[in-house]
Amino acid sequence: MKFPTLHLVLSIIAICLIHVAQAQGNSQTVRGTVIDDDTRIPLIGATVIILGSDPLKGSTTDPDGRFVITDVPTGRVDLQVRMLGYEPQLLANNLITSAKESVLEIRMMESVTELGEFEVKAPERKGEVMNDMALVSARRISVEETSRIAGGINDPARMVSAFPGVAGDPAGDNTIVVRGNSPKGVLWRLEGVEIPNPNHFADDGATGGPINVLNSDMIDDSEFYTGAFGAEYGNVYSAVFDMKLRHGNDREREYTLKAGVLGTDLTAEGPIPGLEGGSYLANYRYSSLALLDQAGIVDFQGVPKYTDAAFNIKLPMRGAGTFSVFGVGGKSNIQQEDKGYTGDTLFSNSDFGSRMGVVGLTHTRTIGANSFLYTAVSMSGNGSSTDYYEAASPGESPVELWHQDDLAKWTLRATSTLNTRINANHKLRSGLIISSERFRMNSASRDRDTELMETTLDQSGNAATFQAYTSWKWRWNEQWTMTNGVHILYYGLNDAVSVEPRVALRYQVAPGRAFTFGAGLHSKTEALMTYMAQDVDAQGNVFQPNRDLGLTRAAHAVLGFEQFLTEDIQLKAEAFYQYLYDQPVENDPNSAFNLSNMTGWFTTKPLVNAGVGYNTGVELGVERFFTRGYHFLVTGSVSSARYKALNGTWYDSRFNLGTIANVLAGKEWELDSSEGKDRTLMVGFRYSMQGGQYSTPIDLDASLDAGYEKEGSPAWSDKGEAIHKLDLVVSYRLGRVKASHEFKIDVQNVMNAQTAVYHYFDPRTETIQDIPQLALLPVLQYTLRF
């Protein structure tokens, strides 16, 4: 099955390469706004030029900080930005297409040195984050970068699995394991506020899923953090996705139509009439397979149906700051029938659905000459439902209900952040985050011994969370930078409190060489289901064993080194140690159960915050940033993740993957171009390897006697096989005047490797079966921009 797909891809490449040349035929406008990073005040008189243009193309910002550069040849360009008294900026590798204007917001930082000539630095090319309070374990994610990484399929969560110390789910979800931590510890933020898991078909309590609700056409450059987080990030111990929505074009109407395996969607953007600088951006997507199913073109059980939408409306008000109204939402459902290997005997059927959504209002306002206030209010909701039936005997009807759940949560959040620049050397940032949750949770399952339905969730109510933080940045000089602060978390459901100091240092030894250090305390609440889970005691009384469970906590320390080997190649290394404490383990001196070995859902086992553990390792990455038509990234990490439960025995964590490695590269060719047409071919690959997860062996004899899966011993002693995967991406872009077409194929697991990822007991065959890694999957997509 793999060879026809691979031959098709190679044939496309061979045909396109016949026409390789260097000509270009179209041009576009590059414009935007230059602002002060600390105050959000527009900067007047900043110069913006296109490097390498002949004759030189450039512009100077007007009193509103705006600039316009017309007739910029399509392709990739570098922009240099200079302003007296500010650190120069180089925005590298901007992709200019004929169909859409390039609209930029450029933030400049006041220089700590005396006025004079400076060497231009290139934060964009280094993948540095815009958040200048983050000095360690931080990486920017550009949308353009995500689109050209093999296996990324335009999903930032899949793209970050190429970073050091980060591993994806080989079975197909975009769930990530970061430095040996459970995926449950990941925090998703959008526009500065925490949001529910933004993935379709997501189990409650999980942080990943098969398909991201956030459409790539809506997302701006975002940020990803893997440890020793800054003071503004709370309720997290594993990793942070800090996502931003882009603003629509405020002068021209533009549209994007996509059709492919993962969905068919339309994006529209443009100016708001009568409001200078105002814009709208909206997107709607529907499952392509669902469309084909409704048309009768495909006919098989288990068609995944999903839809999502998003919008972002920018409303600048002179004298009153800038408001934005945004929203993201998605709904998914799948109905399946299990008819066994022959397809003619009904064993079970299921109906699973999930949903999430968030709407919000943000406001940014300058206060005086040295401060700005950012405020956001949001309302979010998420939930899932499952109905699972089994035949009383194979092929018999009616079927019997074996599991049913209905989970729903609504959260009102408000956050406000004050950013103040005391002078070029000192900066303060402080904020408050208040959340109020309402929930309704019901779940019941049939006990396989008694064959009676047992209720494990039947609760409704509310819970509140309060967070406050403050941080201080001190730039001693051009070499030394320090940030420190404190984050406070209070959880009203069980009155849990955490006071978390944070500190980070950066020592710039020389241009292109730096040492970094970060440390801090972190904590996180568990999923509401864990606290609300119920059981029945020997007297028949219903109780909640984990209502008073506390916060899960960790202490992080990171030491890093950065070195530019050449102008375009950077080496980056980090060593980390995470001490895990107050881990939720079963309140049984003979048990090895640790809640952190789960990726979602909940347990009715009685838990206590008495477990400890550690994650430690070394990460290394060598990256060539996209210049002169190609890029590459080589990453590797070696780590250990272990924990100790109440029985006093040390175990390998489920997510103790050991070794993770990635090699990826991409090349772009500008092909033969005629008048009014640009042709570009891009080819990329990614080879990844990660160690297998640990699991507890299945006791086959006990499972045969019971008729369902029973665990054996010793706990967490089986190490899974290493997972190897090769991905390939090919795209062909054709640009015309005011329109562009792109044909793209992203083939996951080109060699169709089928290494076992998980194991389970199958009572029908009375054997232990494997769940292999995701099979070869070609994801085709056509994009029209106009």
Side-chain angles (χ1 to χ4, degrees):
M1 182 173 82
K2 60 182 179 251
F3 295 108
T5 302
L6 183 57
H7 289 168
L8 174 62
V9 171
L10 294 176
S11 297
I12 293 173
I13 297 172
I15 293 170
C16 292
L17 282 177
I18 295 173
H19 304 286
V20 174
Q22 298 300 321
Q24 292 186 337
N26 290 311
S27 63
Q28 187 54 272
T29 298
V30 176
R31 61 183 181 85
T33 308
V34 180
I35 62 175
D36 185 298
D37 185 49
D38 294 327
T39 66
R40 299 300 193 264
I41 294 175
L43 296 179
I44 307 170
T47 59
V48 184
I49 63 171
I50 306 292
L51 291 179
S53 55
D54 185 16
L56 185 66
K57 290 183 177 293
S59 179
T60 302
T61 56
D62 64 16
D64 293 321
R66 296 186 176 185
F67 68 92
V68 178
I69 307 175
T70 59
D71 298 323
V72 178
T74 54
R76 296 184 182 274
V77 301
D78 295 345
L79 278 75
Q80 184 187 94
V81 188
R82 285 180 175 271
M83 175 75 182
L84 196 62
Y86 286 81
E87 295 182 356
Q89 297 288 338
L90 178 63
L91 281 67
N93 193 41
N94 292 273
L95 179 60
I96 311 300
T97 65
S98 60
K100 296 175 70 67
E101 290 186 337
S102 179
V103 184
L104 306 170
E105 181 183 83
I106 303 170
R107 301 177 186 177
M108 302 192 73
M109 185 180 299
E110 190 175 13
S111 175
V112 297
T113 62
E114 297 295 328
L115 301 182
E117 292 297 322
F118 305 104
E119 186 173 315
V120 177
K121 66 176 184 177
E124 288 270 334
R125 298 166 73 181
K126 296 180 182 180
E128 291 181 358
V129 296
M130 293 297 293
N131 183 355
D132 63 331
M133 290 287 186
L135 303 182
V136 298
S137 300
R139 172 66 189 258
R140 182 185 296 191
I141 311 169
S142 79
V143 177
E144 188 276 331
E145 184 181 19
T146 302
S147 69
R148 57 179 159 82
I149 297 299
I153 55 176
N154 298 325
D155 183 350
R158 297 182 188 276
M159 187 265 184
V160 301
S161 62
F163 295 165
V166 184
D169 180 6
D173 278 5
N174 64 9
T175 302
I176 58 170
V177 173
V178 180
R179 292 179 173 175
N181 287 294
S182 168
K184 294 192 303 92
V186 174
L187 170 69
W188 286 92
R189 299 210 326 176
L190 181 66
E191 296 297 300
V193 294
E194 182 179 345
I195 63 171
N197 177 7
N199 285 284
H200 289 296
F201 306 103
D203 283 329
D204 209 82
T207 59
I211 301 170
N212 203 314
V213 173
L214 292 168
N215 192 289
S216 60
D217 284 314
M218 296 292 299
I219 302 174
D220 201 351
D221 289 357
S222 301
E223 296 170 357
F224 181 65
Y225 305 89
T226 57
F229 315 112
E232 64 197 270
Y233 297 108
N235 199 27
V236 59
Y237 60 79
S238 174
V240 178
F241 276 103
D242 200 351
M243 315 295 288
K244 302 289 191 300
L245 296 175
R246 70 179 181 89
H247 293 299
N249 193 322
D250 60 357
R251 295 188 181 180
E252 299 287 340
R253 288 187 176 89
E254 297 174 338
Y255 304 91
T256 301
L257 174 66
K258 288 183 177 179
V261 172
L262 295 184
T264 300
D265 65 269
L266 176 66
T267 303
E269 60 185 291
I272 297 176
L275 182 62
E276 178 67 23
S279 67
Y280 67 87
L281 174 66
N283 171 272
Y284 178 77
R285 177 174 60 175
Y286 195 77
S287 165
S288 295
L289 288 176
L291 289 172
L292 296 175
D293 179 54
Q294 294 167 8
I297 299 175
V298 297
D299 183 19
F300 59 88
Q301 292 296 327
V303 174
K305 300 178 180 180
Y306 55 89
T307 183
D308 51 60
F311 67 89
N312 192 22
I313 302 173
K314 182 182 179 182
L315 304 168
M317 303 292 179
R318 288 191 176 273
T322 299
F323 292 87
S324 289
V325 182
F326 70 92
V328 174
K331 185 178 182 180
S332 53
N333 174 262
I334 185 168
Q335 297 178 353
Q336 294 178 299
E337 288 187 345
D338 180 1
K339 292 188 176 181
Y341 304 109
T342 62
D344 55 8
T345 303
L346 178 65
F347 289 93
S348 65
N349 61 50
S350 63
D351 185 349
F352 172 76
S354 70
R355 58 203 179 273
M356 71 80 57
V358 57
V359 293
L361 171 70
T362 71
H363 178 231
T364 304
R365 180 167 185 175
T366 298
I367 300 176
N370 296 306
S371 301
F372 76 90
L373 182 69
Y374 178 82
T375 303
V377 179
S378 70
M379 171 64 78
S380 65
N382 68 296
S384 63
S385 61
T386 307
D387 293 303
Y388 174 72
Y389 295 84
E390 286 189 2
S393 296
E396 289 188 4
S397 183
V399 293
E400 298 177 338
L401 179 66
W402 276 81
H403 176 82
Q404 188 172 58
D405 62 63
D406 183 14
L407 312 171
K409 183 173 68 174
W410 304 268
T411 306
L412 176 65
R413 287 190 174 89
T415 178
S416 188
T417 300
L418 178 64
N419 198 91
T420 301
R421 181 178 63 207
I422 300 173
N423 54 43
N425 301 86
H426 298 276
K427 173 180 175 178
L428 298 175
R429 181 179 298 163
S430 302
L432 298 173
I433 307 170
I434 301 173
S435 304
S436 177
E437 297 176 316
R438 295 193 62 82
F439 57 88
R440 184 193 71 244
M441 298 184 172
N442 300 281
S443 181
S445 299
R446 187 179 296 270
D447 185 281
R448 293 190 178 273
D449 292 325
T450 65
E451 294 195 354
L452 298 176
M453 292 294 290
E454 295 185 352
T455 299
T456 52
L457 270 178
D458 186 15
Q459 296 291 324
S460 60
N462 58 78
T465 304
F466 174 81
Q467 299 177 69
Y469 65 88
T470 186
S471 57
W472 165 45
K473 180 179 180 180
W474 180 16
R475 290 196 292 169
W476 307 345
N477 50 44
E478 285 188 311
Q479 290 183 301
W480 285 96
T481 302
M482 178 184 71
T483 63
N484 56 37
V486 63
H487 188 102
I488 300 173
L489 170 64
Y490 168 75
Y491 191 39
L493 188 71
N494 51 21
D495 291 328
V497 178
S498 180
V499 179
E500 302 163 5
R502 318 275 175 86
V503 64
L505 288 168
R506 181 181 181 88
Y507 174 44
Q508 195 76 39
V509 182
R513 182 185 304 159
F515 290 93
T516 58
F517 172 78
L521 301 182
H522 310 276
S523 64
K524 192 179 189 309
T525 61
E526 294 296 338
L528 267 170
M529 297 180 298
T530 299
Y531 301 107
M532 296 294 105
Q534 64 186 52
D535 204 350
V536 179
D537 62 19
Q539 289 73 42
N541 300 313
V542 176
F543 70 103
Q544 294 175 294
N546 301 315
R547 180 61 182 256
D548 296 323
L549 187 69
L551 303 172
T552 302
R553 305 173 192 261
H556 291 189
V558 180
L559 180 64
F561 173 71
E562 301 172 10
Q563 173 70 59
F564 266 86
L565 305 178
T566 69
E567 179 185 0
D568 303 316
I569 300 177
Q570 183 188 40
L571 179 148
K572 193 171 184 178
E574 286 191 337
F576 65 89
Y577 180 81
Q578 300 176 349
Y579 174 68
L580 315 177
Y581 60 107
D582 287 354
Q583 296 288 295
V585 296
E586 186 174 7
N587 191 16
D588 180 347
N590 299 311
S591 173
F593 181 84
N594 184 349
L595 189 66
S596 296
N597 283 326
M598 298 177 64
T599 60
W601 207 233
F602 68 99
T603 181
T604 58
K605 297 178 185 290
L607 305 174
V608 291
N609 294 107
V612 296
Y614 66 83
N615 303 324
T616 185
V618 178
E619 303 168 350
L620 181 67
V622 178
E623 180 171 10
R624 177 192 164 86
F625 301 98
F626 201 109
T627 52
R628 293 184 288 278
Y630 72 99
H631 71 101
F632 66 76
L633 174 65
V634 180
T635 66
S637 64
V638 179
S639 62
S640 176
R642 294 175 60 82
Y643 77 95
K644 182 172 67 174
L646 279 186
N647 60 8
T649 302
W650 282 93
Y651 298 94
D652 287 292
S653 161
R654 171 183 173 178
F655 307 106
N656 185 11
L657 305 182
T659 302
I660 305 171
N662 289 274
V663 179
L664 63 87
K667 171 65 177 173
E668 188 174 270
W669 292 271
E670 294 175 0
L671 306 178
D672 183 24
S673 299
S674 57
E675 184 67 25
K677 295 181 181 180
D678 303 322
R679 295 180 175 88
T680 305
L681 174 69
M682 186 275 293
V683 178
F685 78 92
R686 174 184 169 187
Y687 173 76
S688 60
M689 186 280 291
Q690 64 184 63
Q693 296 184 9
Y694 275 88
S695 62
T696 298
I698 298 172
D699 189 325
L700 182 58
D701 292 335
S703 300
L704 290 171
D705 291 340
Y708 57 91
E709 184 173 302
K710 302 285 286 186
E711 290 186 345
S713 61
W716 304 106
S717 59
D718 279 1
K719 173 72 168 174
E721 294 182 48
I723 309 293
H724 297 262
K725 185 163 74 84
L726 176 65
D727 303 325
L728 181 67
V729 62
V730 178
S731 72
Y732 174 70
R733 188 170 63 248
L734 172 63
R736 299 176 181 269
V737 178
K738 299 297 184 181
S740 71
H741 308 263
E742 183 181 42
F743 303 88
K744 179 179 177 181
I745 179 170
D746 193 337
V747 187
Q748 298 208 45
N749 194 6
V750 171
M751 305 308 295
N752 199 31
Q754 292 290 281
T755 305
V757 180
Y758 308 111
H759 310 278
Y760 68 97
F761 172 71
D762 185 352
R764 300 175 202 163
T765 62
E766 297 185 335
T767 59
I768 297 174
Q769 297 290 319
D770 299 332
I771 298 177
Q773 67 189 95
L774 182 68
L776 181 148
L777 177 64
V779 179
L780 296 104
Q781 180 177 275
Y782 165 70
T783 302
L784 170 64
R785 303 184 189 277
F786 59 99

